[in-house]
Structure formats: C-alpha cells, structure tokens
C-alpha cells in the first residue's frame, strides 16, 4: 500500500472517529466533556468502592432498615452520576412530556416554566428550588420569571457545578445555591414567596418530613408545586413483572421506595397544606416522556464504548463503566414503567400554605 493510500485510510478512520464521538457526541453536550468525567467529590481511586457500597445499600430499597443513612447514600449517588448525567443528558436532571415540533431542550424548558407559572410569583420574589441538582431548572425559571431562586442540594459537587453554570449564564444575581439536606433546611420560618421541586423529593425516606420543611419556610398564603415520582393506579403489587420494574427504578435512582400516587395529597394535607390541584402530567394528551430514553439507546452504546476506553486508559475513574451500565439498566426499567403505565415521574401537586395557622401547625412558642 503506497503512502497516499495509507494517508487516505488514516484520514478516513480519523474522520469516522471524530463523527462518532464528537458530531454524534453524547445525547446533549452541556459543558461537560467525556475526558472530564469524575466521581464528583469522591476521589478517583475510591469511585468503584463507593459504587459497590451504594449498590449493596439499595439492593432492596423497601427493606432499608437504616433510613437515617439514606441522605448519605443519595449524596454518594449524585457524586457518582452527576458528570454522566450532565454529559449524556443535560443540566436538567428530570423528564418532560414530548412536545410536537419542539426539541427535548425546549420541552424541558416548558416543563420547568410551567412549575413557576403555577406558583404565581412576581419578579423579585424569593422562591425555593427543593433539590436543585446542577441548577438547570433554576436557571430556566429565573430567566422566565425574574424571581430570585434559592436552590438546595445535598451534594457539594453539584453546588459548585451549579454556581459555575449560573455565572456562565449571567444569572448568578438571580440564582443562589446552598449545600444542605432538604429534610433539615438552613432557612428561617416564613422566608420564601413560593417553592417548587422537580422530581427530587422521591429521595426522601419519608415524604411528610420534606413537605413539613417546605411548609415551614414558606410564607403564609404562598404556593408550592412538586413533580413527584410515583406508582400509578395501574401498578399491581402482586404482579412480579411490575414489582421488578419498580425495584429496578428504585435501585438505579437512589430511591428508598417509590410511593403510590394516592399518598401525595394525603401527605400534603397531613403537614398542613391546602391541596389546590393534583394531576398526572404524563397522561394523554401528553406525549410519552420516555421517548427520549428509547431514542438514546444508540447514544448509550456510543458513550459506553468511549467511557470503557477512557477507563482503560486511566482517564476516567475505575468504576465509571459500572455506574454507566447501571444507569442504562435503569433507563430500561424506566422505559418499561412508561410503556406499562405503572410509573410516572410527573405527578403534579399544587399546594398552598394557609394564611392562618391550622391546628396541625400551630405557631411556635418563644
């Protein structure tokens, strides 16, 4: 083979690799490159051990006996997956219904904007993002409403990522991020004009504990909206396939047991909220939220090959391949949950904190 043929072959291979890895790229590139994948706040040499500990803890989510350890393992989970989520999915770690004629990015933004529209806030109002991740929803909501958004996440690595993105987007004057546990929030009583949570409170061992904290920090008369992960009326606890699907979702998403849709409003009322509206946003005429997961299967294999190569070369931490494989298995369970209709990640509940204290929540003394 002459030198020209060798050159052409090499150029063709190089162009093919560039197209495969860069043009096709991950599902959505959002400021995180494959060569920068890390274990968050976990040092590279401890990623695999932390993954094994996480997987052992969440092996049977509903049988977890040490609920007080759940926040620590949720923190571990987000150290393990944040870079992969951001690289392969985007900065908004949640689902949204497909919208005809709209990109996934636009559909996601509309889903986020709807949340803040529901709580009826004004520019300059101070609102709370309960479980803000790296701040994708926070930035969309701040830009849309011009409200001041304060986000809380248990994961310090996500705090740093969110602050970086806020500054890059020119929204750091409207977006604040606090590291903390939303079961024990470091905010005064009656200090927010509204609040929202987008697919975040599912990590709480007891929903009433996080709802009670949101109730405490809201000003009287203010609204709170939450998009909840729940099992639907189609879920049958005596159906082995249904049980396997739900357990697969729980294990791969750090959930200490999915709740039933019937539990949500009951819990909100228990802590003192008035329930204004409740609706599964995934029901028709909404288009399937899991379409993006099905479309992303080719992207997964492409990304998995790249991560495997980077891990073998020592660029990505050892254990990243295991984490990525876990997320793919979980995506399959999520897709099955959507196809069967037994699971929804967007059961919406809109609540109001009464103007006057209820018997359940009398004023604090002293």
């Amino acid at each position: 083979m002459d030198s020209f043929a060798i050159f052409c072959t090499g150029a063709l291979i190089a162009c093919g690799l560039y197209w495969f890895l860069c043009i096709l790229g991950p599902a959505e590139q959002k400021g995180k490159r494959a060569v920068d994948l890390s274990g968050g706040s976990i040092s590279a040499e401890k990623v695999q051990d932390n993954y094994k500990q996480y997987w052992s803890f969440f092996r049977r989510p509903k049988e977890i006996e040490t609920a007080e350890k759940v926040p620590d393992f949720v923190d571990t989970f987000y150290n393990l997956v944040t870079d992969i989520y951001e690289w392969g999915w985007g900065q908004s770690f949640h689902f949204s219904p497909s919208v005809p004629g709209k990109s996934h990015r636009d559909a996601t933004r509309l889903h986020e904007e709807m949340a803040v529209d529901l709580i009826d806030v004004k520019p300059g109002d101070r609102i709370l993002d309960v479980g803000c991740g790296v701040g994708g929803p926070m930035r969309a909501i701040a830009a849309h409403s011009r409200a001041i958004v304060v986000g809380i996440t248990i994961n310090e690595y996500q705090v740093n990522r969110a602050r970086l993105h806020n500054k890059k987007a020119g929204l750091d004057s409207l977006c604040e991020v606090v590291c903390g546990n939303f079961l024990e929030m470091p905010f005064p009583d009656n200090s927010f004009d509204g609040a929202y949570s987008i697919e975040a409170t599912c990590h709480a061992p007891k929903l009433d504990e996080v709802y009670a904290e949101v109730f405490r920090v809201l000003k009287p008369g203010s609204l709170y909206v939450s998009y909840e992960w729940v099992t639907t009326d189609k879920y049958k606890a005596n159906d082995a396939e249904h049980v396997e699907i739900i357990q697969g979702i729980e294990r791969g998403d750090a959930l200490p047991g999915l709740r039933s849709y019937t539990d949500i409003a009951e819990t909100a009322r228990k802590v003192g909220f008035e329930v204004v509206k409740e609706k599964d946003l995934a029901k028709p005429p909404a288009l399937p939220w899991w379409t993006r997961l099905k479309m992303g299967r080719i992207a997964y294999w492409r990304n998995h090959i790249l991560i495997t190569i980077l891990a073998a070369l020592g660029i990505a931490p050892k254990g990243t391949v295991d984490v990525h494989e876990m997320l793919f298995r979980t995506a399959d369970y999520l897709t099955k949950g959507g196809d069967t209709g037994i699971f929804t990640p967007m059961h919406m509940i809109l609540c109001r904190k009464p103007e006057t204290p209820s018997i359940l929540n009398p004023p604090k003394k002293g």
Side-chain angles (χ1 to χ4, degrees):
M1 185 181 290
D2 59 29
S3 58
F4 179 73
I6 294 173
F7 172 79
C8 290
T9 302
L12 185 63
I13 293 171
C15 288
L17 287 172
Y18 178 79
W19 176 82
F20 184 73
L21 299 176
C22 301
I23 303 300
L24 279 176
E28 280 190 45
Q29 290 189 0
K30 290 290 189 176
K32 175 60 66 173
R33 300 182 305 161
V35 293
D36 295 327
L37 293 177
S38 72
S41 299
I42 299 171
S43 60
E45 65 273 13
K46 294 183 179 179
V47 167
Q48 192 163 52
D49 286 344
N50 274 261
Y51 166 74
K52 290 177 180 177
Q53 291 167 17
Y54 163 82
W55 189 250
S56 177
F57 184 78
F58 278 102
R59 186 175 60 243
R60 295 185 180 88
K62 284 188 172 64
E63 297 176 18
I64 292 173
E65 296 178 357
T66 51
E68 68 273 8
K69 291 185 179 180
V70 169
D72 289 338
F73 277 97
V74 170
D75 183 29
T76 295
F77 173 76
Y78 279 110
N79 274 322
L80 293 171
V81 306
T82 290
D83 278 356
I84 295 175
Y85 275 0
E86 201 176 328
W87 172 60
W89 188 262
Q91 293 173 18
S92 294
F93 298 174
H94 64 81
F95 297 105
S96 60
S98 297
V99 179
K102 299 288 186 182
S103 67
H104 293 309
R105 185 184 303 181
D106 286 340
T108 296
R109 176 180 52 79
L110 291 170
H111 195 54
E112 294 163 350
E113 290 175 354
M114 181 174 66
V116 74
D117 289 343
L118 283 167
I119 61 175
D120 194 27
V121 297
K122 306 181 299 295
D125 280 354
R126 188 174 175 85
I127 63 176
L128 176 65
D129 182 330
V130 184
C132 66
V134 298
M138 168 192 296
R139 287 181 288 281
I141 283 170
H144 176 67
S145 67
R146 308 310 296 178
I148 297 169
V149 186
V150 179
I152 184 169
T153 172
I154 200 168
N155 185 262
E156 186 177 0
Y157 182 71
Q158 289 189 336
V159 170
N160 295 329
R161 293 294 298 168
R163 287 173 177 166
L164 176 67
H165 291 312
N166 292 346
K167 188 171 183 179
K168 283 184 177 180
L171 291 167
D172 46 331
S173 63
L174 292 176
C175 298
E176 304 173 20
V177 192
V178 174
C179 190
N181 186 345
F182 59 32
L183 301 177
E184 299 174 313
M185 292 193 279
F187 307 121
D189 295 357
N190 310 315
S191 54
F192 288 97
D193 299 296
Y196 65 88
S197 51
I198 299 179
E199 303 182 26
T201 58
C202 50
H203 293 299
K206 295 181 180 179
L207 188 62
D208 58 334
E209 293 181 354
V210 60
Y211 275 16
E213 273 293 270
V214 175
F215 186 94
R216 178 183 67 79
V217 301
L218 276 180
K219 295 177 182 177
S222 297
L223 293 164
Y224 166 56
V225 66
S226 185
Y227 298 166
E228 295 287 347
W229 281 33
V230 297
T231 56
T232 71
D233 57 351
K234 294 183 179 181
Y235 173 71
K236 306 300 179 188
N238 59 356
D239 186 313
E241 182 186 6
H242 287 191
V243 171
E244 180 188 357
I245 291 169
I246 296 305
Q247 285 186 347
I249 293 171
E250 292 167 341
R251 282 195 302 266
D253 283 299
L255 308 180
L258 272 169
R259 287 171 268 273
S260 167
Y261 75 103
T262 59
D263 296 335
I264 307 305
E266 179 184 346
T267 302
R269 293 189 180 99
K270 176 183 174 182
V271 304
F273 278 118
E274 298 170 354
V275 176
V276 178
K277 187 176 182 181
E278 188 177 23
K279 180 182 180 181
D280 182 0
L281 300 177
K283 285 186 174 181
L287 297 177
W289 54 266
W290 60 96
T291 300
R292 186 177 175 191
L293 291 174
K294 287 185 174 181
M295 292 172 62
R297 293 182 75 86
I298 295 175
Y300 161 77
W301 287 111
R302 179 181 62 244
N303 293 352
H304 197 65
I305 290 169
L306 181 55
I307 288 174
T308 302
I309 293 170
L310 292 174
L313 294 174
I315 297 172
K318 194 175 180 181
T320 307
V321 176
D322 294 328
V323 175
H324 194 256
E325 188 173 343
M326 174 190 74
L327 295 178
F328 177 69
R329 290 198 304 268
T330 307
D332 192 45
Y333 283 120
L334 286 163
T335 300
K336 290 177 180 177
D339 278 334
T340 58
I342 66 173
F343 165 77
T344 176
M346 52 192 73
H347 183 90
M348 184 275 291
I349 185 165
L350 178 64
C351 309
R352 177 181 287 110
K353 180 174 180 176
E355 292 283 358
T356 55
S358 68
I359 296 175
L360 290 172
N361 288 275
K364 292 183 178 180
K365 295 181 179 179

